[in-house]
Amino acid sequence: MPNYYNGTKLLSMKDLDGNTPEIFMVTSNRSAGKTTYFSRLILNKFIKKGEKFMLVYRFKEELEGCADKFFKDIHTLFFPEYEMSCKKMANGAYYELFCRKVGEEFYSPCGYAVSLNNADTLKKLSHFFSDTTCMLFDEFQSETNRYCPHEVEKFISVHKTVARGQGKQNRYVPVYMCSNPVTILNPYYTDMDIAVRLTDDVKFLRGHGFVLEQGYNEDASKAQKESGFNAAFSRNKYVAYSEEGTYLNDSKAFVEQPQGRSRYLGTIRYKGSDFGIKAFDNIGIIFCDNKPDSTYPYKIAVTTEDHRVNYVILRQNDMFISNMRFFFEHGCFRFKDLRCKEAVLKLLSY
């Protein structure tokens, strides 16, 4: 029998402050069983304790058929005696999920499915979600880098919507977040300062209010490698991503000083400090350090707080940022130190 993901250790961990985390994140190579583990966990919570759950999606159109998406695999594996259905609510603002044992006359409401992009509407419906006890956000990293505008803020808003109620301004509502390793430029890693701390060697990472597990399932990798279909595309980076759990869009990005002559490309301002972006054309490397050229006219403010006279804001520089992403994703970036790396990751994040 193949080994599948087990989240027992992750769920037992404390965060960086010694408190019980409210966010549990896990990434691994495909088919490792992480989504199945947490789906089974939250449904068992309902069956055994009557605790309702919430499924989090990105866009409204993903809510269609949410009961089948969530239940189909775990139904066959763990819950053959149960059935699940869903119903569109509030003109499609969210879906309510229902569960029953086969042969029972009535379904019992067991949870909800919502989309992050609908955060403002959900805020007005918060009273409906006050009995939610946990949330599951699968594929929190997008393989196509298609995220909601201001996604992290919307994610925070949805959690706030759920966590108030029952006579409390804020309840403990844990969020289980699963993903394949797509890119460390994803908005969650950037916003939670995970990107600058994460290396290939890290298995568990603790932060303020969260814990992250970076896993690798050898049985799942072996099964992928034995696939004749995958063998046909063995040179494609997507196959390596699914087999080995390598980040689909990232190559190694190092903190080191390149040698040779450089060409100045521009200045970025992040958290009140200026950083210089330079090209070492002889070795094909882009380098960021804390020695900007104040006379160079091209300057970018990474955040609105960094916006100053003579600095342009991010959305006006899509071409420059796209070019920099290209270099990063092909392993051509180097950084003087972690502060420089953080500034660039924030600049390039989706």
Side-chain angles (χ1 to χ4, degrees):
M1 287 289 290
N3 290 315
Y4 290 101
Y5 174 75
N6 188 317
T8 304
K9 182 172 180 179
L10 180 71
L11 295 176
S12 69
M13 292 181 65
K14 299 295 184 182
D15 71 5
L16 204 56
D17 303 305
N19 299 320
T20 300
E22 201 154 3
I23 298 176
F24 299 88
M25 310 173 79
V26 59
T27 68
S28 72
N29 49 323
R30 295 191 65 169
S31 304
K34 51 194 177 295
T35 301
T36 299
Y37 176 87
F38 285 105
S39 297
R40 181 188 186 188
L41 175 74
I42 64 175
L43 186 54
N44 265 328
K45 282 175 175 283
F46 170 75
I47 291 172
K48 296 177 180 179
K49 302 179 182 178
E51 296 180 357
K52 291 186 181 181
F53 55 85
M54 176 176 283
L55 307 178
V56 179
Y57 296 90
R58 218 163 241 116
F59 300 105
K60 191 174 180 178
E61 60 266 25
E62 296 178 81
L63 299 179
E64 188 73 33
C66 55
D68 284 339
K69 292 176 185 176
F70 169 74
F71 190 60
K72 190 170 184 178
D73 285 343
I74 60 173
H75 165 67
T76 305
L77 292 171
F78 308 113
F79 304 101
E81 72 276 27
Y82 283 89
E83 298 173 317
M84 184 168 284
S85 66
C86 61
K87 181 180 179 183
K88 184 187 296 186
M89 307 294 287
N91 294 318
Y94 70 96
Y95 277 62
E96 187 162 13
L97 295 160
F98 301 88
C99 184
R100 72 176 180 185
K101 265 193 171 182
V102 175
E104 288 184 348
E105 184 177 357
F106 300 108
Y107 280 92
S108 299
C110 62
Y112 312 94
V114 302
S115 67
L116 294 179
N117 213 32
N118 219 20
D120 282 346
T121 302
L122 297 174
K123 192 186 305 181
K124 301 167 188 174
L125 303 170
S126 61
H127 53 286
F128 288 114
F129 311 123
S130 62
D131 53 359
T132 300
T133 64
C134 61
M135 302 165 67
L136 174 61
F137 184 9
D138 194 19
E139 297 181 7
F140 71 86
Q141 296 183 51
S142 168
E143 288 189 0
T144 59
N145 293 316
R146 184 182 176 225
Y147 293 94
C148 303
H150 309 291
E151 176 159 323
V152 174
E153 288 82 356
K154 290 177 178 177
F155 174 68
I156 295 169
S157 174
V158 170
H159 188 268
K160 284 183 178 294
T161 292
V162 171
R164 64 188 185 191
Q166 297 187 7
K168 297 179 181 179
Q169 292 180 323
N170 189 64
R171 298 183 297 120
Y172 175 79
V173 181
V175 187
Y176 310 117
M177 301 174 67
C178 308
S179 172
N180 301 317
V182 180
T183 175
I184 61 171
L185 296 179
N186 76 77
Y188 296 94
Y189 281 11
T190 305
D191 233 65
M192 299 164 75
D193 289 331
I194 293 173
V196 294
R197 299 173 57 202
L198 199 62
T199 66
D200 290 343
D201 298 329
V202 172
K203 185 166 177 59
F204 291 96
L205 185 72
R206 297 187 300 155
H208 301 291
F210 75 87
V211 287
L212 165 69
E213 180 177 4
Q214 190 172 236
Y216 169 72
N217 188 298
E218 190 168 344
D219 286 351
S221 176
K222 184 179 179 183
Q224 294 287 331
K225 287 176 180 176
E226 290 173 350
S227 162
F229 183 88
N230 284 347
F233 296 97
S234 59
R235 297 179 63 184
N236 190 291
K237 68 177 183 178
Y238 191 90
V239 173
Y241 148 77
S242 63
E243 289 179 357
E244 302 299 336
T246 56
Y247 278 90
L248 175 61
N249 290 337
D250 300 341
S251 293
K252 307 254 185 192
F254 297 106
V255 175
E256 62 181 49
Q257 174 72 53
Q259 301 298 315
R261 298 186 63 180
S262 65
R263 175 171 55 92
Y264 203 79
L265 299 179
T267 301
I268 62 174
R269 186 174 182 83
Y270 176 62
K271 288 187 176 179
S273 299
D274 285 346
F275 301 87
I277 305 294
K278 304 165 185 179
F280 286 76
D281 295 319
N282 59 319
I283 54 175
I285 291 295
I286 305 296
F287 181 61
C288 177
D289 64 15
N290 58 354
K291 297 178 180 178
D293 180 353
S294 60
T295 66
Y296 199 83
Y298 194 74
K299 301 177 180 179
I300 300 177
V302 175
T303 69
T304 53
E305 291 79 10
D306 294 311
H307 195 213
R308 299 289 188 277
V309 176
N310 297 327
Y311 286 78
V312 292
I313 54 179
L314 285 181
R315 65 174 175 269
Q316 297 171 347
N317 293 272
D318 288 346
M319 183 61 69
F320 177 81
I321 294 169
S322 293
N323 288 337
M324 293 301 102
R325 282 194 189 124
F326 174 85
F327 287 116
F328 181 88
E329 291 170 357
H330 287 78
C332 299
F333 248 103
R334 300 295 182 269
F335 312 94
K336 180 182 178 183
D337 54 35
L338 287 178
R339 287 184 68 243
C340 297
K341 185 175 181 180
E342 179 182 354
V344 170
L345 290 174
K346 194 71 174 181
L347 173 76
L348 302 184
S349 63
Y350 290 93

